[in-house]
Amino acid sequence: MDAEHRRLEETRSKAAPWRKWGPYLTERQWGTVREDYSDSGNAWDYFTHDQARSRAYRWGEDGLGGISDDRQLLCFALALWNGKDPILKERLFGLTNSEGNHGEDVKEYYFYLDSTPTHSYMKYLYKYPQATYPYRDLVDTNRRRGKHDFEYELLDTGVFDQDRYFDVFVEYAKASPEDILIQITVENRGPEPATLHVLPTVWFRHVWSSRGDAPRPVLREAAGGGGGVIAASHPELGERFLYAEGAAALLFTENETNTERLFNSPNRTPYVKDGIDRYIVHGRREAVNPEQQGTKASAHYPITVEAGASRTLRLRLSDVAPAASAPAKAGPVGSDFDAVMRARRQEADAFYATVIPSSLNADAARVMRQALAGMLWSKQFYYYDVDQWLTERGADPFKPTRKASPRNDHWHHMYNAEILSMPDKWEYPWYAAWDLAFHVLALTLVDEDFGKTQLDLMLGEKYLHPNGQLPAYEWNFGDVNPPVHAWSTLFTYRLEKARRGQGDLEWLERAFHKLALNFTWWVNRKDRSGRNVFEGGFLGLDNIGVFDRSAPLPTGGYLEQADGTAWMALFCQNMLEISVELALERPAYLDMAVKFVEHFLWIASSMIHAGEDVGMWDEEDGFFYDVLRLPDGRAQRLKVRSMVGLLPLCAVTVFEGELMAKYPELRERFRRFVDARPELTAFIHDPSQRGQAGRQLAAVLNETKLRRVLATMLDENEFLSPYGIRALSRYHAEHPYVFRVGDQEYRVSYLPAESDSGMFGGNSNWRGPIWMPVNALIIRALLQYHTYYGKDFTIECPTGSGQYMNLYQVAEELAGRLASIFLRNAQGRRPVYGGMRKFQEDPHWRDHLLFFEYFHGDNGAGLGASHQTGWTGVIARAMHLFATSTAEQFAELGKAAGITEVQPARPTRKR
């Protein structure tokens, strides 16, 4: 067992808290719902980036490449000043939702280069211009641009011309769970010497104002240690020490709001949050505390770096106090510093050698490792006591005379104070329930225990609503996300079972009970007519519909959603699978298994009406559509060829027959149910029909319908892009779908890049681009079908090409196209970076990967949030899957092949 796996085992057994410290700072606390106390609910404008340097946060802390403990009591991050900027660079800058022509957007270049799951080693890169950072230019130019224009990016401003910038690398290495080595390497990429002020900063999260008489923590200069030492004393955390080798000075202030600057009222203390900024940038010597104490402190390193050269700074954050008698030769950061740093790098390499299949070439291994690094860096301490937040804004839900809150009134039970996996710590620094389910697929490649805790949290009493609804995200916890939690739970259980020889049945059982509450919520709240067809609103697909599906329809009436109903069919299948796992050991769950079989058949049959009633399946088109039910009783299909119509393909699960074998009486019970209701299976796949190796299949699509949907999906003039499956068919480029209500026209056209509408803010677009999570579901579905139909079921891929593949090969082809977004092609270019020459050609840029929110439907360029490694990180799981499996393995092992992690002998696949 390698060193990192030993640390994971020590963490699991609670022998050592290796995860206590990690990259748990957010990258943007300003502009969040938690910090918004406005009546209007305009979080972006209530707490701005300009205020952030001067205003203490209430619910969390942000920083540049930083870390904190797992309760975010003590924080550490970088601050930088190039001698020209109007402010210290303490946090990332970006445009708000109203400033960006395509919504909010971070305007910085930073990269998560490496991390082990215990954060025993981490590496981060920030690219800092030597010229004045163009804050105003970025805001003004983007505001002038429209939704049909490209975004104005930092590279476009010319601030990186002639390579006049610093690469600032930050590395963390743990000597022990409480002893963290910090190495900062500054490389001058420019043609001339340049000066940089580096200010590693340590501070306490501001909690004392909200806790009444709580003791106030303190930072102070400590004696001894052979150099600058900042001692941190916290009533809950205890004593910690930051050793700063060679620091020119230690600067102290308070993490208190500068009310004089922001609100024109006297400060509570002469030393405030922006005190170090005022001292460094404006020369205000009185802004820092001469008594060398406070709640925020920096070690100051003014350095000049020659052209093409580098400087290295070393610090150590430890629970070991300075010893006056320590030998001077040890130095302030210890004589073991270089050896420990080197050892942790080597151990990280050794760990990833066990994770990344050796069949992957160096570039593919780089993509996979950086995808996983991004997943691990995207952890964040998320703190939100909704009841307290409502009370503080005068909206206490239990007081009759109360102000209305702009959001989350009915979620006052929520108390979140945990480490959570974020979609993107700048653009989306809050969890989203369905995103999190996909995060777990990638995270469990390296840390199944952390993945399990993430799933647990969403089902806990401090998250799950008493009525059974899962929280969506902080902008509106009551919004509806697709119900994929059960699928992720089952995957995680089976993965652990395969790795350890035994699954955590107690964990699965606990999850099942909570998931059953959520299933019941869906049935009771989202099946309006009791006909087993479901609504759900936007369901994570933002602007994919003709109308805003989360708002009242302009026509009146309501939508029966093909995706909502497909999600519920899959939810049924996942709950059935969990019931089977439980019933094999605990017969009390047999009735639940039968219940979910029956419920699946009710839902699946409701999607395909064979009579005169208008159903979601269109026999002429061979495709599924949403159905608009009008107040006068009329109904019509909204014929948009989109991911909405492909998701019924994903409602498929293979069953190996273990439960029937153990309890053969179930077979007769099932037969009686189906024989009494032949209409349930008349137009869907017959679940009693045996397939490969005697397997049975729960699926909405029978073979005929499956072939029709696949032919559309694999058509390069429709959904199949060189880089994956598009969210909207390319057919709509020349044939937009138009729906008229009175004199109002609603139009859906193929838009392969950014959105041209403001629906859902306009920074996400489901009308053409490629999205990783739904592609992952399609890959899962194809493998399920292959496991049932076997290698003799082939389909033309691409449609019209004359080339036939079995469904494993189609899944592998799709995964290869998705991976090619990030890999260098024959011309040495990465499609993800499109036409950005710097990223394509510069050796200091081209191998640093960004995992965007979604991708151009035709050329694969990255779009939307630039660091949404969250669900885009699932590409690591896809790459791993096809490097560790074969079609024959799936035929033999069935679903178990999807979690097998032994590399089979196989020929190298050529593309």
Side-chain angles (χ1 to χ4, degrees):
M1 182 182 292
D2 63 78
E4 181 62 14
H5 278 106
R6 280 198 299 274
R7 284 187 280 268
L8 285 168
E9 286 301 315
E10 289 173 3
T11 303
R12 168 183 271 248
S13 65
K14 297 183 170 55
W18 284 102
R19 289 200 208 95
K20 180 171 180 178
W21 292 84
Y24 307 143
L25 288 181
T26 184
E27 280 154 357
R28 178 176 61 80
Q29 185 68 16
W30 58 274
T32 62
V33 165
R34 282 153 286 152
E35 301 295 339
D36 175 28
Y37 287 84
S38 68
D39 292 334
S40 66
N42 187 342
W44 285 108
D45 291 346
Y46 179 78
F47 200 134
T48 66
H49 176 270
D50 181 61
Q51 294 177 341
R53 70 181 181 276
S54 306
R55 188 172 178 179
Y57 294 125
R58 170 68 178 87
W59 297 99
E61 297 289 341
D62 56 19
L64 201 62
I67 61 172
S68 77
D69 65 277
D70 57 7
R71 296 169 63 200
Q72 207 174 88
L73 299 174
L74 183 63
C75 310
F76 172 90
L78 281 190
L80 304 167
W81 188 52
N82 58 14
K84 301 182 179 71
D85 282 353
I87 59 174
L88 279 185
K89 178 66 68 174
E90 295 181 270
R91 57 189 50 80
L92 299 168
F93 173 74
L95 304 180
T96 68
N97 187 270
S98 62
E99 290 172 340
N101 59 321
H102 293 290
E104 63 266 28
D105 188 34
V106 67
K107 298 298 184 186
E108 306 269 15
Y109 299 118
Y110 58 104
F111 305 88
Y112 307 128
L113 298 182
D114 210 356
S115 180
T116 56
T118 65
H119 311 296
S120 59
Y121 178 73
M122 299 192 296
K123 188 175 184 179
Y124 172 98
L125 168 62
Y126 175 69
K127 291 181 177 287
Y128 186 37
Q130 293 169 7
T132 304
Y133 187 92
Y135 291 102
R136 179 48 54 193
D137 181 27
L138 287 165
V139 173
D140 291 346
T141 303
N142 276 286
R143 271 183 171 158
R144 289 194 297 268
R145 295 191 176 191
K147 294 193 178 298
H148 294 280
D149 299 321
F150 289 116
E151 293 176 341
Y152 183 59
E153 303 291 5
L154 187 57
L155 275 170
D156 299 330
T157 68
V159 77
F160 285 94
D161 288 357
Q162 297 181 296
D163 290 331
R164 294 181 183 273
Y165 69 93
F166 297 104
D167 268 344
V168 183
F169 294 91
V170 188
E171 293 175 275
Y172 297 94
K174 293 181 181 178
S176 75
E178 294 282 5
D179 188 6
I180 305 164
L181 284 59
I182 305 162
Q183 182 164 295
I184 302 164
T185 304
V186 179
E187 300 195 7
N188 179 4
R189 302 298 184 197
E192 297 173 351
T195 298
L196 178 66
H197 296 257
V198 183
L199 294 113
T201 302
V202 62
W203 73 101
F204 293 114
R205 176 164 60 89
H206 186 118
V207 298
W208 45 91
S209 294
S210 60
R211 294 187 181 177
D213 297 331
R216 188 184 181 103
V218 64
L219 300 170
R220 67 189 187 282
E221 183 173 14
V229 183
I230 298 170
S233 180
H234 192 283
E236 298 172 52
L237 189 64
E239 297 282 326
R240 296 295 184 281
F241 303 89
L242 179 66
Y243 298 85
E245 180 183 69
L250 301 180
L251 308 173
F252 290 79
T253 188
E254 300 288 346
N255 187 12
E256 294 275 4
T257 298
N258 185 344
T259 55
E260 185 177 298
R261 173 185 174 244
L262 297 177
F263 309 117
N264 200 29
S265 62
N267 288 325
R268 294 198 305 179
T269 168
Y271 311 112
V272 289
K273 185 176 178 181
D274 59 10
I276 296 170
D277 173 274
R278 291 189 294 150
Y279 176 88
I280 295 292
V281 178
H282 304 289
R284 299 280 298 275
R285 300 185 64 83
E286 75 280 5
V288 296
N289 191 344
E291 294 182 6
Q292 298 295 85
Q293 66 177 25
T295 48
K296 177 181 178 181
S298 297
H300 184 201
Y301 294 88
I303 60 174
T304 298
V305 187
E306 296 297 319
S310 66
R311 287 280 304 274
T312 298
L313 312 176
R314 305 193 306 173
L315 302 96
R316 193 163 189 157
L317 180 62
S318 177
D319 60 348
V320 179
S325 61
K329 64 179 181 181
V333 297
S335 57
D336 63 341
F337 188 100
D338 291 340
V340 171
M341 183 66 68
R342 186 166 52 251
R344 295 300 173 267
R345 291 188 193 119
Q346 293 169 351
E347 290 163 4
D349 290 341
F351 172 77
Y352 278 106
T354 71
V355 173
I356 299 172
S358 59
S359 59
L360 296 182
N361 65 27
D363 194 43
R366 179 184 298 111
V367 170
M368 189 171 165
R369 184 159 173 174
Q370 289 190 35
L372 293 168
M375 296 297 308
L376 294 166
W377 267 95
S378 294
K379 296 178 184 180
Q380 176 185 314
F381 175 74
Y382 184 89
Y383 181 38
Y384 193 12
D385 179 345
V386 178
D387 185 59
Q388 182 65 30
W389 180 79
L390 289 168
T391 299
E392 289 173 356
R393 59 187 297 122
D396 185 335
F398 299 104
K399 286 190 176 179
T401 55
R402 59 186 291 268
K403 292 166 60 177
S405 172
R407 54 178 58 89
N408 297 331
D409 252 11
H410 302 295
W411 291 80
H412 50 81
H413 74 286
M414 289 188 71
Y415 180 86
N416 302 166
E418 283 85 19
I419 304 301
L420 282 155
S421 178
M422 297 292 124
D424 178 321
K425 291 205 297 186
W426 192 93
E427 192 136 348
Y428 305 118
W430 31 260
Y431 64 86
W434 84 300
D435 295 54
L436 195 62
F438 288 97
H439 296 189
V440 169
L441 299 185
L443 284 167
T444 50
L445 272 169
V446 292
D447 192 349
E448 74 229 32
D449 289 336
F450 182 73
K452 285 173 67 176
T453 63
Q454 296 299 284
L455 295 169
D456 270 345
L457 287 173
M458 292 298 109
L459 297 175
E461 70 278 3
K462 295 178 182 178
Y463 289 74
L464 186 73
H465 197 281
N467 66 17
Q469 185 180 8
L470 283 168
Y473 42 78
E474 68 177 31
W475 288 93
N476 182 4
F477 284 127
D479 228 330
V480 184
N481 275 187
V484 289
H485 210 82
W487 168 52
S488 190
T489 298
L490 184 65
F491 176 88
T492 303
Y493 168 81
R494 285 181 171 154
L495 181 67
E496 183 179 34
K497 186 176 181 180
R499 285 178 176 173
R500 297 182 177 272
Q502 183 176 352
D504 188 346
L505 204 66
E506 300 294 331
W507 176 77
L508 187 67
E509 186 175 30
R510 289 196 307 273
F512 178 79
H513 289 293
K514 298 296 183 69
L515 289 165
L517 293 176
N518 184 237
F519 185 89
T520 304
W521 177 86
W522 269 90
V523 170
N524 290 339
R525 296 294 184 96
K526 295 302 173 183
D527 178 9
R528 180 187 298 252
S529 60
R531 295 167 60 239
N532 296 296
V533 288
F534 291 83
E535 301 168 62
F538 86 111
L539 282 176
L541 307 188
D542 294 19
N543 66 338
I544 203 166
V546 179
F547 315 115
D548 179 347
R549 300 193 302 171
S550 289
L553 301 180
T555 59
Y558 62 95
L559 288 177
E560 292 177 347
Q561 295 180 213
D563 56 336
T565 308
W567 287 123
M568 281 302 289
L570 179 61
F571 195 179
C572 259
Q573 293 169 3
N574 299 147
M575 293 297 281
L576 171 56
E577 288 186 280
I578 297 174
S579 301
V580 168
E581 291 283 348
L582 294 171
L584 287 170
E585 301 294 330
R586 298 171 186 181
Y589 287 95
L590 281 172
D591 286 344
M592 293 301 289
V594 172
K595 173 261 190 304
F596 284 112
V597 169
E598 295 176 357
H599 212 136
F600 164 71
L601 293 175
W602 291 117
I603 294 173
S605 63
S606 73
M607 296 194 73
I608 304 178
H609 290 270
E612 295 181 2
D613 190 17
V614 177
M616 299 170 187
W617 173 257
D618 188 292
E619 183 62 31
E620 181 181 354
D621 293 356
F623 205 72
F624 289 92
Y625 302 109
D626 283 348
V627 174
L628 174 62
R629 299 261 172 207
L630 295 166
D632 62 6
R634 290 180 296 129
Q636 71 178 92
R637 298 185 188 100
L638 300 177
K639 292 196 171 187
V640 179
R641 295 185 198 172
S642 73
M643 189 59 66
V644 165
L646 291 180
L647 284 171
L649 167 86
C650 300
V652 55
T653 300
V654 165
F655 291 89
E656 302 286 349
E658 314 104 301
L659 197 66
M660 293 285 194
K662 186 166 185 176
Y663 303 102
E665 66 272 17
L666 287 178
R667 197 178 308 281
E668 178 61 22
R669 190 172 169 183
F670 174 66
R671 187 191 64 77
R672 287 199 306 269
F673 176 79
V674 172
D675 286 352
R677 300 164 183 82
E679 69 279 2
L680 290 184
T681 57
F683 303 102
I684 67 171
H685 174 79
D686 182 354
S688 65
Q689 186 175 338
R690 297 281 174 170
Q692 180 84 15
R695 297 181 182 109
Q696 292 174 274
L697 186 73
V700 174
L701 300 175
N702 60 26
E703 183 175 347
T704 300
K705 292 182 174 68
L706 173 62
R707 289 185 177 278
R708 295 189 70 186
V709 172
L710 287 175
T712 301
M713 185 182 83
L714 298 176
D715 189 334
E716 291 180 310
N717 294 314
E718 295 248 16
F719 288 96
L720 183 61
S721 158
Y723 304 101
I725 300 298
R726 303 175 175 107
L728 188 87
S729 171
R730 205 167 186 272
Y731 168 85
H732 291 301
E734 296 181 6
H735 306 89
Y737 181 82
V738 178
F739 189 93
R740 290 183 174 83
V741 180
D743 59 357
Q744 184 70 42
E745 178 182 282
Y746 297 85
R747 177 181 294 261
V748 177
S749 300
Y750 175 69
L751 301 169
E754 304 276 9
S755 173
D756 65 353
S757 85
M759 196 185 296
F760 285 89
N763 61 322
S764 294
N765 180 27
W766 285 82
R767 294 184 176 181
I770 296 150
W771 289 77
M772 201 63 69
V774 285
N775 273 264
L777 282 170
I778 290 169
I779 289 172
R780 172 200 175 270
L782 291 168
L783 294 174
Q784 296 281 327
Y785 288 118
H786 172 75
T787 302
Y788 176 79
Y789 286 111
K791 62 182 174 58
D792 294 332
F793 182 110
T794 60
I795 193 83
E796 198 175 21
C797 179
T799 300
S801 67
Q803 175 179 328
Y804 283 80
M805 300 181 183
N806 64 45
L807 295 183
Y808 176 92
Q809 292 168 329
V810 174
E812 187 178 27
E813 174 68 20
L814 178 53
R817 291 183 182 221
L818 293 167
S820 74
I821 291 171
F822 307 101
L823 296 169
R824 286 194 196 174
N825 60 22
Q827 292 73 44
R829 301 174 70 83
R830 301 186 191 276
V832 64
Y833 288 136
M836 294 190 288
R837 290 188 60 186
K838 197 75 172 170
F839 278 91
Q840 297 288 14
E841 299 172 8
D842 193 309
H844 300 302
W845 295 66
R846 66 187 182 192
D847 287 336
H848 301 321
L849 279 300
L850 293 177
F851 296 86
F852 287 79
E853 183 180 6
Y854 55 98
F855 303 89
H856 194 289
D858 295 334
N859 63 35
L863 299 164
S866 59
H867 289 73
Q868 191 152 348
T869 317
W871 63 20
T872 299
V874 78
I875 190 60
R877 175 61 73 178
M879 295 171 73
H880 185 275
L881 173 63
F882 290 100
T884 57
S885 71
T886 63
E888 293 74 23
Q889 199 177 47
F890 266 87
E892 178 187 347
L893 300 178
K895 289 182 291 190
I899 51 175
T900 298
E901 298 182 312
V902 178
Q903 297 178 57
R906 54 181 295 154
T908 302
R909 182 175 181 272
K910 296 180 179 179
R911 284 188 53 82

